[in-house]
Amino acid sequence: MSLNLNKLVDKAWEDKSINELLDAPPSALEGLTPKHDELLAELKIKTVRDLGNWKYAAKAHALVQLADGES
């Protein structure tokens, strides 16, 4: 199964595997820059995987899902 990740990642990362993307810096995501990498590194977030597993992102996502359920 092939996934089209082009809308999710920066053009330079479009041909990478999921594991390569998870190990990439956050700036591999479309819309983030190396400056974001620096800022996120201060929070010990150095990879896309770190960002995806960041407990505060998970909590925020849970709140968004709960709010969507109230509509």
Side-chain angles (χ1 to χ4, degrees):
M1 179 175 159
S2 177
L3 297 173
N4 185 347
L5 304 174
N6 295 354
K7 302 274 187 201
L8 300 176
V9 300
D10 186 85
K11 190 156 189 72
W13 292 89
E14 288 179 354
D15 64 339
K16 305 298 183 195
S17 71
I18 295 290
N19 282 323
E20 288 172 308
L21 291 170
L22 291 174
D23 293 334
S27 60
L29 297 174
E30 197 279 321
L32 296 182
T33 68
K35 181 63 177 171
H36 293 108
D37 293 340
E38 293 173 23
L39 295 169
L40 289 166
E42 292 177 17
L43 298 171
K44 299 193 181 351
I45 298 169
K46 297 180 182 173
T47 67
V48 172
R49 186 185 316 271
D50 293 340
L51 182 58
N53 288 325
W54 193 42
K55 68 180 178 181
Y56 300 108
K59 289 176 183 185
H61 183 74
L63 286 170
V64 169
Q65 295 301 309
L66 288 170
D68 287 348
E70 286 186 349
S71 306

